[in-house]
Amino acid sequence: MANLNDHMGRPIVAVTGIGVVTSLGVGKTDNWAALTSGTSGIHPITRFPIDQLNTRISGMVDFLPSSSKGASPLTYELAELAGLEAVTEAGLDSSDFGGPLFLASPPVELDWAERFSLYNSDKDKDDTAAERLLRVARSLRELDIFETTQFGSIADRLADRLGTRGLPITLSTACASGATAIQLGVEAIRRGECDRALSIGADGSATAEALIRFSLLSALSTHNDIPEKASKPFSRDRDGFVLAEGSGALVLESLEAALARGATILGVLSGCGEKADDFHRTRSKPDASPAIAAVRAALADAGLSEEEIDYVNAHGTSTPENDKMEHLALSTVFGERIGSMPVSSNKSMIGHTLSAAGAVEAAFSLMTMREGVIPPTINYDNPDPAIVLDVVPNKKRNAQVRTVLSNSFGFGGQNTCLVMAREPV
């Protein structure tokens, strides 16, 4: 009989379903084939005019029906696709999931297409644009536009579609959001509040405004000429991240409940750690102390030592400062071993999927363990001598990986780390 509780007497949390959508395609099969072959999903932007913009590339998902309909519809479709794939793989009813939903999604605002539509529907040209928008909005008799501006509307629709239980939770902790959604699912099962939970991270918010805002922070790569080579984590000539879209979903279950219904165990969520910065609205703390603390908290929660981690799925954004900070955090925690243990970045191929990143990368981490293949860090042609890491450069590596640490270090000092295992202890 398998041990059903962890080292702290809590229910072991198993993964029984995985779903993924990125610029590389829909579903685990296409994504994994592209990721392990070193294929990039980064491409020129075609969704909106890019004249005069410093950055003209992205990892946008341009092949879905909602790709041209705005951030809210696209985020919903991304979340629904990943959620359906995960629930179906778990062998559960895709319209009656029977557990809570935790959704990580981007902050919401009125899409520009809707602003222009509202503005142009009013004939009074004397008022300011804001006054006209408000007047038209007050006269609307349908809820479609209103709902796109409500932070919880995507989760509400998903809850109805998938038959989840209770009030769906929507959260936004910047680039750590997807990992936080998984953490909330893990904690709900550990507390005995449910036998299963659905955690989804989705982001379809690669809008013109988002691009400009990140550009003003000097956070984006401007290597426009060869898009697929723009994201180069841990390289000396890295110059910023690539804005991207995607979604990741995990069905989480107590090991006892999963085994009782004969589910296939795809992996285990062993530990979660989170710590907040207190330094700057966007920059990481220079001494990396919150990131260090988050890694150590995740290891302690999992009951594992530093020596028991086989692979790190790095946050690896390709920004000069974040990569430097992450190396400092990892080298502090793992010591001299960090130079020889594999540490690769999925973002080198899919870009930074923002609110979805932690969930997408957790999905890829679980697949790494199941398949025995570590995806590469592509574009690693100019190593940074100040960052000594085995980044699995340019080509995949076959390896037996039993445990993974997946890092998510977000703007505003949101740091969440997940420890996953191939099998229950």
Side-chain angles (χ1 to χ4, degrees), residues 23 41-45 55-60 62 206 211 227 242-244:
S23 56
I42 311 305
H43 55 271
I45 294 169
T55 293
R56 302 186 293 278
I57 56 173
S58 77
M60 292 177 183
D62 289 329
L211 191 81
V242 177
L243 189 66

Side-chain angles (χ1 to χ4, degrees), residues 27-338:
K28 298 188 298 296
T29 301
D30 288 352
N31 270 277
W32 187 247
L35 199 76
T36 53
S37 67
T39 301
S40 174
I42 311 305
H43 55 271
I45 294 169
T46 59
R47 192 178 296 170
F48 49 78
I50 55 175
D51 299 341
Q52 310 304 317
L53 294 180
N54 290 332
T55 293
R56 302 186 293 278
I57 56 173
S58 77
M60 292 177 183
V61 175
D62 289 329
F63 44 78
L64 298 179
S66 299
S67 293
S68 60
K69 295 181 179 178
S72 183
L74 179 55
T75 299
Y76 173 81
E77 186 174 9
L78 288 165
E80 182 186 39
L81 286 169
L84 282 171
E85 183 182 23
V87 173
T88 300
E89 182 177 35
L92 297 168
D93 188 335
S94 61
S95 62
D96 188 19
F97 178 74
L101 168 65
F102 300 95
L103 173 69
S105 68
V108 296
E109 57 187 317
L110 194 61
D111 189 76
W112 272 107
E114 292 164 341
R115 296 187 201 190
F116 284 127
S117 176
L118 291 172
Y119 181 78
N120 291 327
S121 68
D122 189 272
K123 305 304 181 186
D124 190 342
K125 307 297 184 184
D126 295 332
D127 291 339
T128 65
E131 290 170 334
R132 289 175 69 179
L133 282 174
L134 287 172
R135 182 168 58 249
V136 173
R138 291 188 186 106
S139 67
L140 290 176
R141 293 295 178 264
E142 64 273 350
L143 293 175
D144 290 351
I145 292 179
F146 170 77
E147 288 179 348
T148 67
T149 67
Q150 303 305 295
F151 188 49
S153 66
I154 295 172
D156 287 340
R157 289 179 62 198
L158 279 174
D160 291 341
R161 172 65 182 85
L162 298 170
T164 60
R165 295 288 185 270
L167 185 68
I169 302 299
T170 308
L171 61 103
S172 181
T173 51
C175 314
S177 301
T180 305
I182 293 169
Q183 178 182 349
L184 291 179
V186 169
E187 291 175 346
I189 293 170
R190 285 174 170 175
R191 288 193 299 265
E193 296 172 2
C194 56
D195 289 329
R196 69 177 67 123
L198 180 58
S199 296
I200 303 176
D203 200 315
S205 70
T207 62
E209 286 170 293
L211 191 81
I212 292 168
R213 288 166 182 163
F214 284 122
S215 289
L216 290 172
L217 292 171
S218 300
L220 297 181
S221 173
T222 57
H223 282 277
N224 300 302
D225 295 339
I226 309 177
E228 59 271 19
K229 295 191 72 69
S231 182
K232 49 187 75 173
F234 306 117
S235 292
R236 176 188 283 184
D237 54 344
R238 66 191 185 276
D239 72 328
F241 74 84
V242 177
L243 189 66
E245 296 170 328
S247 57
L250 299 183
V251 172
L252 306 172
E253 297 187 63
S254 71
L255 181 61
E256 181 176 11
L259 291 175
R261 68 179 187 87
T264 299
I265 307 302
L266 306 179
V268 174
L269 255 299
S270 305
C272 310
E274 61 175 350
K275 295 293 178 181
D277 274 40
D278 56 359
F279 178 68
H280 189 268
R281 289 178 66 185
T282 57
R283 293 175 57 205
S284 304
K285 199 168 185 177
D287 67 2
S289 55
I292 294 167
V295 173
R296 286 177 170 160
L299 291 172
D301 194 49
L304 296 177
S305 67
E306 294 83 358
E307 291 73 23
E308 292 176 289
I309 296 297
D310 292 336
Y311 162 61
V312 177
N313 191 329
H315 188 55
T317 60
S318 187
T319 61
E321 186 169 312
N322 191 271
D323 286 7
K324 177 182 176 183
M325 182 278 297
E326 186 167 17
H327 173 255
L328 175 58
L330 292 174
S331 60
T332 300
V333 173
F334 293 98
E336 293 183 1
R337 182 170 172 250
I338 197 59

Side-chain angles (χ1 to χ4, degrees), residues 15 17-20 28 32 35 176-183 186 199-201 247-250 252 266-269 271 311 313-314 346-347 350 353 356-370 404-408 416-421:
V15 178
I18 303 171
V20 180
K28 298 188 298 296
W32 187 247
L35 199 76
S177 301
T180 305
I182 293 169
Q183 178 182 349
V186 169
S199 296
I200 303 176
S247 57
L250 299 183
L252 306 172
L266 306 179
V268 174
L269 255 299
Y311 162 61
N313 191 329
N346 301 154
K347 291 184 181 74
I350 62 172
T353 56
V360 170
E361 290 157 21
F364 288 149
S365 296
L366 289 159
M367 294 176 72
T368 292
M369 290 187 287
R370 283 187 59 78
V404 176
L405 168 71
S406 184
N407 292 333
S408 296
T416 303
C417 299
L418 303 174
V419 172
M420 288 159 274

